[in-house]
């Protein structure tokens, strides 16, 4: 009889960060998913040099993902064990990609959330979800993707000031109501833009006027999302901290923006660090908005895919199962 062991499959939603003025603090989970399956590997004590890590990648753009210990899912897995003061156990990770890479839809956050959740399950769940959130923010360096990726919904994260800090998490996280009649429409171009590149074009200092502009627009956005006020949303998605600098990295931005508004969208913003563009629309206009965005990009010589999505409310979901213990890929029976 073969021995069995727990495996865990973690499903993690894509996210859209910033939504315009909420730079580095505001984001929402979307109904596009990556899946990560973690299985413990049984090493044979009498076989030398067995692989302690196997990574298999399937799905969208699978050949673009590195399958060694520099893989971000594994880095998060290893970070979890380092946090416990332990070495990571031998593991097989199967990745099924449904979220396009480096497009501003939080693919890196899915990898971090998946790696941390998977590790926590294999370790017998020593950490709470909020402790995983803290570790994830520490890895991603900003909370706006990893928080909704783990918790679901639309979330605002504010760092707790030093004078109020305790030993607990360093962030106050609140859920933000998103009216059910507001449809997010994502137009995803075929080219990639890494977050690193998109952060390099940002200034390190801003004027007081720019700070006030973003504060006011984020407030308006929160109220617009809660009340389905299209006029407020139209104005609220403008910002002065990142989009004016990043739109030059996205060919066709102005044309897609104009096309989305002409087709009836309330507003349009760069999703995360881009290049995906996110429009907010009424349910009745969302199909027209998606078509208009793709056509505008096509005229600018860029292939894209657009679809209406919904806000994911569940966040990262893990399902445990019992399976036969995995053998390492280079396992050999001593003979
Ligand atoms: N499933 C995955 N497995 C391993 N690494 C991944 C995975 N998904 C993303 N990554 C890593 O994250 C990189 C993309 O991260 P990046 O922050 O540039 O974009 P993004 O997270 O998709 O967009 P944004 O942060 O703007 O929403 C990939 O190039 C890859 O190195
Ligand atoms: N807030 C981040 C999201 C992308 O990771 C940025 O805009 O750079």
């Amino acid at each position: 009889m073969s021995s069995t062991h727990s495996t865990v499959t973690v499903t993690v939603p894509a996210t859209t960060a910033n939504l315009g003025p909420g730079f580095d603090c505001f984001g929402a989970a979307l109904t596009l998913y990556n899946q990560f399956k973690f299985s413990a590997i049984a090493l044979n004590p009498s076989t030398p040099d067995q692989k302690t890590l196997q990574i298999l990648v399937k799905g969208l753009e699978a050949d673009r993902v590195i399958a060694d210990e520099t893989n971000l899912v594994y880095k998060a897995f290893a970070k979890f064990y380092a946090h416990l003061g332990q070495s990571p156990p031998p593991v097989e990770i199967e990745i099924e990609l449904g979220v396009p890479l480096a497009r501003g839809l939080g693919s890196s956050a899915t990898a971090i959330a998946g790696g941390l959740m998977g590790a926590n399950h294999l370790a017998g769940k020593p950490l709470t979800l909020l402790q995983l959130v803290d570790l994830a923010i520490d890895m991603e360096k900003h909370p706006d993707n990893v928080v909704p990726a783990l918790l679901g919904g639309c979330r605002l994260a504010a760092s707790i000031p030093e004078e109020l800090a305790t030993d607990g998490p360093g962030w106050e996280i609140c859920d933000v109501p998103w009216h059910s009649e507001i449809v997010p429409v994502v137009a995803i171009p075929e080219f990639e833009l890494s977050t690193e590149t998109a952060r390099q074009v940002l200034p390190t200092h801003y004027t007081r006027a720019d700070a006030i502009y973003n504060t006011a627009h984020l407030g308006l956005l929160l109220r617009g999302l809660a009340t389905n006020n299209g006029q407020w949303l139209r104005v609220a998605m403008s910002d002065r901290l990142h989009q004016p600098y990043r739109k030059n990295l996205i060919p066709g931005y102005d044309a897609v923006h104009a096309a989305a508004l002409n087709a009836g969208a309330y507003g349009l913003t760069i999703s995360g660090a881009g290049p995906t563009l996110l429009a907010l629309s009424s349910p009745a206009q969302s199909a027209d908005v998606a078509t208009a965005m793709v056509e505008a990009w096509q005229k600018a010589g860029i292939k894209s895919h657009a679809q209406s999505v919904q806000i994911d409310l569940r966040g990262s979901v893990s399902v445990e199962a019992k399976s036969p213990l995995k053998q390492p890929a280079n396992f050999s029976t001593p003979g």
Side-chain angles (χ1 to χ4, degrees):
M1 196 179 74
S2 69
S3 62
T4 61
H5 199 276
S6 284
T7 66
V8 61
T9 303
V10 188
T11 304
V12 187
T15 44
T16 184
N18 307 324
L19 288 139
F23 180 64
D24 272 2
C25 60
F26 187 45
L30 303 176
T31 49
L32 297 171
Y33 299 93
N34 279 341
Q35 214 171 59
F36 307 93
K37 182 176 176 189
F38 300 83
S39 311
I41 294 178
L43 292 186
N44 185 326
S46 53
T47 305
D49 302 328
Q50 294 169 87
K51 275 189 163 182
T52 55
L53 173 64
Q54 291 163 200
I55 299 180
L56 311 166
V57 190
K58 293 190 288 189
L60 211 60
E61 303 170 343
D63 55 336
R64 305 270 299 112
V65 172
I66 297 168
D68 62 22
E69 59 290 332
T70 64
N71 179 287
L72 190 55
V73 182
Y74 185 68
K75 279 192 189 171
F77 185 86
K79 182 183 170 88
F80 172 91
Y81 282 95
H83 180 76
L84 297 186
Q86 298 174 15
S87 300
V91 66
E92 180 186 275
I93 305 174
E94 292 176 62
I95 301 173
E96 173 87 46
L97 296 169
V99 179
L101 297 166
R103 298 300 208 300
L105 289 168
S107 69
S108 53
T110 70
I112 292 169
L116 293 173
M117 291 272 287
N120 197 35
H121 273 265
L122 290 195
K125 294 199 220 155
L127 298 192
T128 63
L129 185 55
L130 284 182
Q131 286 173 311
L132 297 183
V133 168
D134 252 15
L135 280 181
I137 296 173
D138 195 45
M139 275 194 88
E140 178 92 331
K141 303 295 177 217
H142 41 84
D144 44 346
N145 291 111
V146 289
V147 168
L150 280 162
L151 303 180
C154 182
R155 305 269 172 177
L156 183 70
S159 57
I160 297 176
E162 236 170 63
E163 65 275 19
L164 299 177
T166 59
D167 282 344
W171 298 85
E172 200 62 66
I173 292 166
C174 74
D175 58 326
V176 171
W178 181 295
H179 196 284
S180 59
E181 295 279 299
I182 301 171
V183 181
V185 182
V186 286
I188 308 165
E190 62 179 358
F191 67 92
E192 294 185 4
L193 175 57
S194 78
T195 298
E196 199 185 343
T197 304
R199 289 180 87 84
Q200 275 165 4
V201 301
L202 304 183
T204 50
H205 291 82
Y206 296 91
T207 62
R208 181 190 299 176
D210 288 347
I212 293 167
Y213 189 94
N214 266 55
T215 307
H217 284 70
L218 180 56
L220 191 66
L221 178 64
L222 300 185
R223 290 293 300 142
L225 288 172
T227 59
N228 191 24
N229 184 319
Q231 178 53 32
W232 287 352
L233 290 173
R234 190 177 183 88
V235 173
M237 293 175 86
S238 167
D239 100 292
R240 288 199 185 158
L241 298 189
H242 67 110
Q243 296 185 93
Y245 308 96
R246 286 175 163 171
K247 63 182 205 169
N248 299 327
L249 301 174
I250 305 174
Y253 171 90
D254 286 330
V256 178
H257 190 185
L261 295 194
N262 280 340
Y266 301 135
L268 175 135
T269 178
I270 298 174
S271 180
T276 290
L277 298 178
L278 172 101
L280 298 184
S281 163
S282 67
Q285 301 296 327
S286 63
D288 288 350
V289 169
T291 305
M293 290 167 86
V294 170
E295 283 176 1
W297 243 331
Q298 203 164 7
K299 280 189 195 143
I302 291 164
K303 275 195 201 147
S304 66
H305 157 80
Q307 69 184 103
S308 300
V309 289
Q310 293 176 326
I311 301 302
D312 166 279
L313 297 176
R314 302 202 309 163
S316 297
V317 173
S318 10
V319 176
E320 285 187 7
K322 293 281 178 200
S323 326
L325 264 171
K326 292 275 178 186
Q327 304 296 338
N330 55 350
F331 171 78
S332 66
T333 313

